[in-house]
Amino acid sequence: MWTLSGFIDEISPDFTEQCRLAAELGLTHAELRSAWGVNILDLDPDQLGVMRKTLAAHELRVSSIGSPIGKIFIDEDFAPHLDRMRHAAEIAHSFDAPYIRIFSFFLRPGANPADHRDEVIDRMRALARVAEQADLILLHENEKEIYGDVPSRCLDIVRSVGSPHLRLAWDPANFVQVGVRPYTDGYAVLRPHVEYIQIKDARAADGSVVPAGRGDGEVARTLRALHHDGFDGFFSLEPHLSTATAAGGFSGREPFRTAWQAFTDMLNTEGIEYR
């Protein structure tokens, strides 16, 4: 039984509106990235308290904290960012979230990834140590323009850090946007380390983001393989159907509903049960 979740800030900046539509669509979980236009790590205690009450009122639990950890340039000061990672762990505990999404640092335009590998691995180890101490699991997302944007470097990160508290989040659209055929080029090597699936698709011709199954993200092939493998985890809708920036994306109520419909139609076609 697969569990659906979603970056519900793509529905509306208003957190009540986010939760209302998520519950209407039958979601049991949400991924928290922002509310009222403020990043989850920058909300004050009162705002976080309102979020917890609103989630409970809509019978929603939290699958992951969609943090921006690792979304700084590799040559920027890391110490404040490590403190921010510790805060992210506190936020995760406050929402009973088992996962925190992270990234492996932006590279400057024209930089050779190999020149920054050692620093990336050192930083990722430090982040993993925070997760180990907090008994949480970090999910590295294959974002564009970071060190771990292609399968080989995603594999390098997770193998080199070697911690059960660092796993991979699979984002097919991001792979497409860096010239990767997700299933063909990445599934076999990354599957042992994949813990969490983000549902976003894209067209190879221009990188445009589209609902699941309408792009070149090989989503159907990946779903069949995951089902065959006995995967039992979260699938988080991250549609990005209206706007997409380095800080995140937005869809709106109806585009988010469209994304949910496209993905659940795929699951129904494949005969895959979900909740």
Side-chain angles (χ1 to χ4, degrees), residues 30-248:
E31 183 151 359
L32 303 183
R33 182 172 54 196
S34 69
W36 308 291
V38 180
N39 185 272
I40 184 69
L41 301 190
D42 297 318
L43 293 164
D44 64 40
D46 289 342
Q47 291 171 312
L48 295 172
V50 170
M51 290 177 72
R52 283 190 290 272
K53 290 178 181 177
T54 306
L55 288 163
H58 291 84
E59 299 183 333
L60 290 167
R61 289 175 286 172
V62 178
S63 62
S64 178
I65 301 300
S67 87
I69 297 298
K71 277 197 169 184
I72 60 171
F73 283 101
I74 190 60
D75 55 6
E76 291 186 82
D77 187 8
F78 181 55
H81 210 60
L82 190 57
D83 288 338
R84 196 159 168 77
M85 175 71 244
R86 297 186 184 100
H87 179 56
E90 294 171 353
I91 296 292
H93 280 304
S94 75
F95 285 98
D96 293 323
Y99 298 111
I100 301 174
R101 180 194 64 164
I102 65 166
F103 304 87
S104 54
F105 304 96
F106 287 119
L107 305 181
R108 299 289 180 181
N112 181 355
D115 293 341
H116 300 283
R117 178 193 176 275
D118 291 348
E119 180 65 20
V120 167
I121 300 303
D122 285 348
R123 290 184 175 199
M124 297 301 286
R125 284 180 178 143
L127 297 176
R129 283 194 292 271
V130 175
E132 289 164 4
Q133 293 163 3
D135 194 24
L136 296 165
I137 295 177
L138 304 182
L139 300 167
H140 172 269
E141 179 184 335
N142 51 292
E143 176 66 274
K144 304 179 295 296
E145 301 173 356
I146 62 172
Y147 178 82
D149 60 350
V150 296
S152 60
R153 290 195 288 273
C154 291
L155 185 63
D156 179 31
I157 290 167
V158 73
R159 280 184 171 175
S160 298
V161 173
S163 170
H165 292 267
L166 176 62
R167 302 282 287 165
L168 299 179
W170 175 277
D171 188 314
N174 289 350
F175 275 141
V176 169
Q177 290 173 334
V178 296
V180 170
R181 298 169 299 172
Y183 178 84
T184 302
D185 299 337
Y187 187 85
V189 295
L190 296 183
R191 173 65 186 93
H193 309 285
V194 171
E195 183 95 5
Y196 196 96
I197 312 297
Q198 291 176 201
I199 301 303
K200 187 160 88 249
D201 204 349
R203 295 192 177 109
D206 59 5
S208 59
V209 179
V210 293
R214 301 181 190 175
D216 297 296
E218 301 181 309
V219 176
R221 294 185 70 187
T222 304
L223 295 181
R224 292 183 200 118
L226 289 167
H227 193 223
H228 180 268
D229 290 348
F231 182 86
D232 183 21
F234 289 107
F235 290 76
S236 186
L237 297 165
E238 190 186 14
H240 281 23
L241 293 181
S242 295
T243 59
T245 68

Side-chain angles (χ1 to χ4, degrees), residues 3 29 78 240 262 273:
T3 304
H29 289 74
F78 181 55
H240 281 23
E273 294 184 347

